[in-house]
Amino acid sequence: MSRRPLPPRTAKSDPFHFTRYLTRRDRRLLSWLAEHYLLSTGQVTKALFPSGRSARLRLTRLHRLEVLDRFVDDESAESSQYLYALGPKGFTINRDAYHDPDNPTATPARSSRERGNRIVGSRKLQHLLGVNDFFCDLLAHARTNPQARLRRWWSEQHATDAYGAAGVQPDGHGVWTVGDTTVGFFLEHDRNTEPLGTVLRKLRGYERVTEFGPTYPLLLWVPGRGRERHLLDALAGVDTAMPVATGVHGTDPAGPVWTLASDPGRPRHLHELPSDHGPYTATNSSRFIQPDDA
């Protein structure tokens, strides 16, 4: 007696049926959204797609599959574009994400809707978009420059988990490679909302990082030349354990836009900034390892 063949699995019987429609690029986008909360249409386009049209078509498809959620940012000048976050199905395959931009110690979100509500209601929403734009600009640069690559992109919570023992809370942390040169960095995305003294006091924590971990440049990414001049004036003659560099919003962060506070003579590319991953020690457990060293 022959057995009947099993019926094919349907979307109802297999909750992960949708994953067969995901490309490698889709999964990369989902991994970013899991850690960095949300990205705008423009950011996704420049980081991953050859054109705005191809990005919009694919994002619409992922939204219909419930892999992504989307909403309009009413506070931004670009309010005509969508902001994307993990949808219900995207959330099911990324439950170990960092969950709350305002409160890292909060109970993890139980659903994509709860997570989305936390993001939309966050007081850090515009700041978060600015930080993510910085890294998406690096990704866009790497897409057209074969020698360039963003090897690490950590969110504020991820970087704080790794280096917070020193009392720092970076807005982001990355490792950037051009050719044979690899530079790690910490990012402070400045929106001119804090007094200069508050910004400068953050340097103490980054100096403590150098005592047990890497000596990475601290990037002060500021909204205008006036703010940059004031910071450089305040830093003149100040000896810091780590390099400190300033750059201005709206420029290519991979390009020659960085002014070293200790040597402001000429602007430098990001990969030209001094950087040291630190020694291999138990206290430097987040040390970046070159792929060839692994």
Side-chain angles (χ1 to χ4, degrees):
M1 182 176 177
S2 62
R3 293 183 178 180
R4 290 183 181 179
L6 292 173
R9 283 192 170 188
T10 65
K12 289 185 178 180
S13 64
D14 181 5
F16 294 98
H17 176 81
F18 69 94
T19 59
R20 70 181 61 186
Y21 301 111
L22 299 181
T23 65
R24 181 179 298 179
R25 181 171 58 189
D26 296 336
R27 292 178 181 275
R28 190 179 187 196
L29 173 59
L30 293 179
S31 71
W32 290 344
L33 291 174
E35 178 157 343
H36 304 290
Y37 306 106
L38 81 169
L39 294 168
S40 69
T41 305
Q43 290 170 347
V44 174
T45 299
K46 62 187 176 184
L48 288 173
F49 288 87
S51 70
R53 182 176 183 276
S54 61
R56 289 191 297 272
L57 288 172
R58 189 59 189 167
L59 290 170
T60 298
R61 172 64 171 160
L62 294 175
H63 178 247
R64 288 174 178 169
L65 286 170
E66 298 185 326
V67 173
L68 300 180
D69 270 342
R70 67 185 187 186
F71 57 93
V72 174
D73 175 19
D74 295 327
E75 297 182 19
S76 173
E78 298 185 50
S79 58
S80 60
Q81 70 173 342
Y82 286 113
L83 300 179
Y84 287 90
L86 289 178
K89 292 180 180 176
F91 183 79
T92 62
I93 57 176
N94 290 279
R95 288 188 177 276
D96 58 344
Y98 292 85
H99 298 284
D100 194 328
D102 288 331
N103 184 4
T105 62
T107 302
R110 293 168 293 181
S111 67
S112 65
R113 182 172 295 277
E114 181 183 342
R115 188 173 190 265
N117 287 339
R118 293 185 188 184
I119 296 167
V120 175
S122 172
R123 65 182 182 273
K124 292 184 176 181
L125 180 62
Q126 295 305 317
H127 182 81
L128 181 64
L129 281 172
V131 172
N132 289 352
D133 203 50
F134 176 94
F135 285 94
C136 285
D137 281 341
L138 289 179
L139 290 164
H141 183 96
R143 289 186 65 237
T144 57
N145 292 269
Q147 287 195 310
R149 184 177 175 186
L150 183 61
R151 294 188 176 274
R152 179 186 281 180
W153 173 16
W154 284 1
S155 65
E156 175 184 321
Q157 288 192 23
H158 196 156
T160 302
D161 283 350
Y163 298 106
V168 297
Q169 191 171 344
D171 292 324
H173 161 54
V175 175
W176 177 247
T177 293
V178 176
D180 296 328
T181 303
T182 297
V183 174
F185 62 86
F186 295 111
L187 176 69
E188 289 287 342
H189 179 73
D190 183 85
R191 299 179 65 215
N192 205 14
T193 56
E194 295 179 323
L196 285 180
T198 301
V199 177
L200 295 174
R201 281 194 292 274
K202 294 179 181 180
L203 271 59
R204 298 172 188 167
Y206 290 102
E207 291 200 322
R208 286 193 289 272
V209 171
T210 67
E211 296 173 7
F212 67 84
T215 302
Y216 287 154
L218 173 60
L219 307 183
L220 303 177
W221 192 234
V222 301
R225 296 295 177 190
R227 178 75 162 178
E228 183 181 39
R229 283 195 300 272
H230 291 152
L231 274 170
L232 289 172
D233 288 345
L235 289 165
V238 177
D239 187 22
T240 58
M242 70 291 169
V244 180
T246 61
V248 177
H249 300 181
T251 57
D252 178 4
V257 300
W258 297 103
T259 301
L260 265 178
S262 60
D263 184 14
R266 67 176 180 87
R268 303 183 187 220
H269 290 77
L270 179 56
H271 70 274
E272 294 177 317
L273 296 176
S275 173
D276 186 342
H277 300 304
Y280 289 99
T281 63
T283 56
N284 192 13
S285 57
S286 296
R287 187 187 194 277
F288 176 75
I289 300 174
Q290 294 280 6
D292 293 341
D293 297 338

